[in-house]
Amino acid sequence: MRFGRSIGSPTDGHLVGGMRVEDAPYLRIVPTYAGSDVRWGLEPLVTMIDRAARQVRRQFPDAVTSVGHLSRAGGGDLDRHRSHESGRDADIGFFVHSSSGQPLLASRFVAFEGDGKAPSWPGAYFDDAKNWALVSAMVSDPEAHVTHIFVAAPLRARLLAYAERMGAPAAIRMRAAELLQQPHGALPHDDHFHVRIGCPAHMSGCVENPAARLRHPASVMARGRRVGPLPHGLVTHPPAPSAAPAPPAGPVPGAKPDENPADQAEPVEPDAPPAVMPSPVDDVDG
């Protein structure tokens, strides 16, 4: 089958007949994420990433697109992620340069702030031109239908402001503004883009959006909001004795976070040691 099949939703599904992302002169798997072979996706997603990486490379001959996790070969649950289960999600790292403009390749994703600087990597800067070229290529891809590009709000604003200054076509800027968004109820995505494509036309069994599911009702009570239809007999605010302590804020330990279309079921990754360079990056070969 040409596309393979995405069965279920990004948060509850699996992948059949996926395609593997391969390293190329213009594309690499970030070393930290390479060992687990979580680099499988539907053909439209994988070929879209390849086309976008090639397009950035044509504009910037030194550009190498950095790819993190997609899905496992058969999809399904993936450690430290809520989604990435059905072959339609991919994590793509930011392009980074030094103060002299030299491209830098980190061994893992590195967080950036709205001013374009990385607190954990002195001398590294968010590459506006290349990151916008990547976003522009993905949102205007002729074959894959991108539905979301999750990224932190300050970086979203930075990219859109750059595109306007550079005179990017209004239609592409509007499309990017629709797709770039900071996810709700998850980490802000200040160290990578999380890209999701829609279900290919006429693909049976592919579920476009995560369903509203309650893994642990108490986690919803604790948040004080309702994420979807509750099981029969369960009320949003059950009566409790006045002396009972209030439920703790945040999800119950061990419970999988709520998943609903608004949250888009974004990955949750634990803290890791920061990528601190021992010397200014201009002194390091990029």
Side-chain angles (χ1 to χ4, degrees), residues 69 90-95 109 126 130-132 134-135 138 149-152 155-156 159 180 189-195 266:
H69 285 162
D91 291 340
I92 303 179
F94 299 142
F95 288 97
F109 291 158
F126 186 83
K130 290 174 184 172
N131 285 310
W132 170 251
L134 176 67
V135 168
M138 293 190 295
I149 303 178
F150 296 107
V151 69
L155 297 176
R156 173 188 184 274
L159 283 169
L180 292 166
H189 285 59
D190 55 5
D191 61 353
H192 70 281
F193 296 111
H194 178 141
V195 183
E266 279 310 285

Side-chain angles (χ1 to χ4, degrees), residues 4 10 16 27 37 70 77-78 84 128 143 204 249:
V16 178
L27 184 152
D37 195 32
L70 277 76
D77 288 340
L78 186 61
H84 289 256
D128 297 329
E143 296 185 23
S204 62

Side-chain angles (χ1 to χ4, degrees), residues 51-63:
R51 282 190 297 274
R54 287 174 182 267
Q55 185 166 326
V56 178
R57 179 76 163 212
R58 284 194 292 269
Q59 296 181 54
F60 305 95
D62 59 2

Side-chain angles (χ1 to χ4, degrees), residues 127-226:
D127 193 322
D128 297 329
K130 290 174 184 172
N131 285 310
W132 170 251
L134 176 67
V135 168
S136 177
M138 293 190 295
V139 303
S140 57
D141 188 84
E143 296 185 23
H145 174 59
V146 176
T147 59
H148 300 85
I149 303 178
F150 296 107
V151 69
L155 297 176
R156 173 188 184 274
R158 184 180 182 87
L159 283 169
L160 295 175
Y162 172 83
E164 184 174 9
R165 289 198 309 273
M166 294 299 104
I172 294 180
R173 287 190 284 114
M174 290 179 63
R175 177 69 175 152
E178 293 173 355
L179 298 181
L180 292 166
Q181 57 184 273
Q182 179 169 303
H184 301 286
L187 297 176
H189 285 59
D190 55 5
D191 61 353
H192 70 281
F193 296 111
H194 178 141
V195 183
R196 177 173 297 162
I197 66 167
C199 292
H202 312 301
M203 181 171 287
S204 62
C206 184
V207 178
E208 190 67 46
N209 291 316
R213 296 182 296 153
L214 293 183
R215 295 277 184 162
H216 196 304
S219 67
V220 181
M221 305 304 176
R223 286 187 175 190
R225 64 182 179 90
R226 179 172 173 171

Side-chain angles (χ1 to χ4, degrees), residues 29-126:
I29 301 297
V30 178
T32 296
Y33 315 115
S36 55
D37 195 32
V38 184
R39 53 201 289 185
W40 295 81
L42 278 181
E43 180 183 345
L45 174 65
V46 174
T47 56
M48 183 271 290
I49 293 172
D50 186 83
R51 282 190 297 274
R54 287 174 182 267
Q55 185 166 326
V56 178
R57 179 76 163 212
R58 284 194 292 269
Q59 296 181 54
F60 305 95
D62 59 2
V64 178
T65 298
S66 299
V67 179
H69 285 162
L70 277 76
S71 296
R72 295 189 296 112
D77 288 340
L78 186 61
D79 289 345
R80 298 178 296 172
H81 292 276
R82 295 189 207 170
S83 55
H84 289 256
E85 293 195 15
S86 60
R88 297 194 286 117
D89 296 89
D91 291 340
I92 303 179
F94 299 142
F95 288 97
V96 183
H97 66 72
S98 68
S99 59
S100 63
Q102 181 181 358
L104 301 172
L105 297 176
S107 63
R108 52 157 293 160
F109 291 158
V110 178
F112 285 82
E113 296 184 338
D115 61 3
K117 298 178 181 179
S120 66
W121 195 1
Y125 299 88
F126 186 83

